Amino acid sequence: MHLAVYLPLLLPVLAALAARPLSNRLNPKLATWLLTVSAVALAAASSAALALLALAGLARIPLVDALGHWSTRVMQHDNPTALWMALIAGMLLTAATVAAARIFWRRARTLLAAAAEAACLPGTGELVVMDDPAAEAFAMPGLPGRIVVSTGMLQALDHAERDVLLAHERAHLTGRHYLFTAAVQLAAAANPLLRPLATAVAYTVERWADEHAAAVCGDRRRVARTVGKAALAATRTGARPRFPAAALGILGRRPAPSRTEGPVPRRVAALLTTPPDHRALPLAAVAAVLLAAALCSIEAAGDLDALFDLAHLR
C-alpha cells in the first residue's frame, strides 16, 4: 500500500495533460468514449484511494482499534499511513462526494427539465422553428428529443447548409451526447484534476456531430463552411446561449467571440483536413493507464485487508 495507493491520485494529472492531444488526434466518437470512460474510471480510482488512506489512518486511533478488535501495536508499527494524511484524505473525499452529489442532482434535474420542455414545444415533429432574429440552433434531449432552430439561423444558411445543420443536431440526439457530457462533468466534480477531460469531451461531441454531418452530406468543406457561417451569424445577430443547460448546439455551449481561438475555429480547421483515424498507440496508452489505476487500487485494498487481518490475529 506504500506506493500503490498514491498512483491513482497522480494518474488524473497525466490524463489532464493528454486530454487535448487525444481530442485533436483521435476519431471524435472514439475520443469521446475514451475520455469519458477514462474520466469516470480515474475519478472512481482516486476516490477509492482517498477512502483507503482515510480508513488506514483512522485505524491508528486506539478507540477505532478497540471497535474493530485490532491490535493497536500492529496498527502503530506496521501501518504506513499517518493520521494527518488520513485526515486530509477524509476531507478531500468528503468534498469530492458532496461535489459529485451536487452535480449529479443538478444534471438529473437539468435533463428532466429539458425533456419536459421538449415535450411542451409546439408541433409533433422533430424540428421546431422559433420566430427569432437571433441565429440559434440546438438539440434538446427528451422522449423524443427535439431540434430547435431560429428563423435568424435559417436565413443565414442556404438549403444545403441547413441540411448540414440538421444532420449535426440530429447526431447530438442519436448519439446521446448529453450523457457523455454529464458523466464527465460528474467525474470532474469528484476530482477537479479531471476538468480538462470535461472540456475535451465538450469539444469532441461537437466534432463527432461535425463528422456525422460530413458523412451524411458527403462534403467536409460544406460542413466547415456551415459551422463558420453559423458562428458569424450568431455574432452578427447578437445571439446569446439561451437554450437549456442540457441542450447541445452547433456552436457548442459558449460560442467563441474570436475567429482564431476557441473550439469553433478548431473544428473548422479539423474539417478542412483529412478525417482522423483510429490509432492503436493512444488506445494502448489509455488502456495501460486505466489498467494501472485498477491494479493499484486492488493492490492497495488487498494490502489494507492484510494489515487488518494481521492486527486482528495479534
Side-chain angles (χ1 to χ4, degrees):
M1 186 172 169
H2 291 77
L3 295 177
V5 73
Y6 298 106
L7 189 59
L9 300 176
L10 299 176
L11 288 177
V13 178
L14 180 62
L17 294 175
R20 178 155 180 158
L22 288 175
S23 68
N24 288 334
R25 297 175 185 175
L26 290 180
N27 175 277
K29 180 177 180 179
L30 175 63
T32 300
W33 273 100
L34 207 60
L35 291 168
T36 303
V37 171
S38 298
V40 173
L42 290 175
S46 60
S47 297
L50 291 175
L52 291 172
L53 285 171
L55 183 58
L58 289 176
R60 284 181 170 272
I61 301 175
L63 178 60
V64 176
D65 295 337
L67 293 174
H69 303 288
W70 299 316
S71 168
T72 302
R73 182 179 63 83
V74 171
M75 285 299 180
Q76 295 291 338
H77 183 268
D78 296 337
N79 190 347
T81 306
L83 182 58
W84 64 268
M85 188 179 299
L87 293 176
I88 294 176
M91 289 188 291
L92 291 176
L93 181 62
T94 301
T97 302
V98 171
R102 289 181 61 187
I103 289 294
F104 178 82
W105 174 246
R106 187 180 304 169
R107 292 297 299 179
R109 290 181 58 188
T110 298
L111 289 172
L112 290 174
E117 188 171 347
C120 294
L121 289 173
T124 58
E126 180 185 53
L127 178 63
V128 178
V129 178
M130 297 188 306
D131 186 11
D132 189 343
E136 288 188 296
F138 52 89
M140 289 183 60
L143 297 172
R146 311 291 293 275
I147 297 173
V148 180
V149 184
S150 69
T151 53
M153 181 65 80
L154 293 176
Q155 292 170 1
L157 305 176
D158 61 30
H159 179 74
E161 292 163 349
R162 293 172 187 172
D163 290 340
V164 171
L165 173 69
L166 294 179
H168 177 100
E169 302 302 345
R170 194 171 289 117
H172 283 318
L173 295 178
T174 57
R176 292 178 171 81
H177 294 168
Y178 49 88
L179 295 181
F180 291 97
T181 57
V184 76
Q185 286 172 4
L186 181 63
N191 189 335
L193 294 175
L194 297 171
R195 286 177 181 172
L197 276 73
T199 302
V201 168
Y203 170 74
T204 58
V205 294
E206 295 300 332
R207 285 282 298 117
W208 182 351
D210 289 342
E211 293 295 337
H212 174 82
V216 170
C217 74
D219 189 343
R220 295 173 62 80
R221 287 186 172 274
R222 185 191 303 167
V223 178
R225 184 173 64 249
T226 302
V227 173
K229 287 181 66 174
L232 291 175
T235 302
R236 184 174 60 253
T237 60
R240 294 292 182 268
R242 293 173 291 178
F243 44 84
L248 294 170
I250 191 170
L251 302 181
R253 293 300 308 167
R254 295 178 181 177
S258 171
R259 298 185 183 183
T260 58
E261 299 177 356
V264 170
R266 285 174 61 199
R267 289 165 53 198
V268 171
L271 286 164
L272 295 177
T273 60
T274 56
D277 55 6
H278 299 274
R279 301 187 179 185
L281 183 58
L283 286 175
V286 172
V289 169
L290 296 182
L291 181 61
L295 291 178
C296 287
S297 298
I298 294 173
E299 181 181 351
D303 291 344
L304 183 59
D305 183 63
L307 176 63
F308 286 154
D309 287 342
L310 178 63
H312 187 72
L313 290 175
R314 295 186 183 182

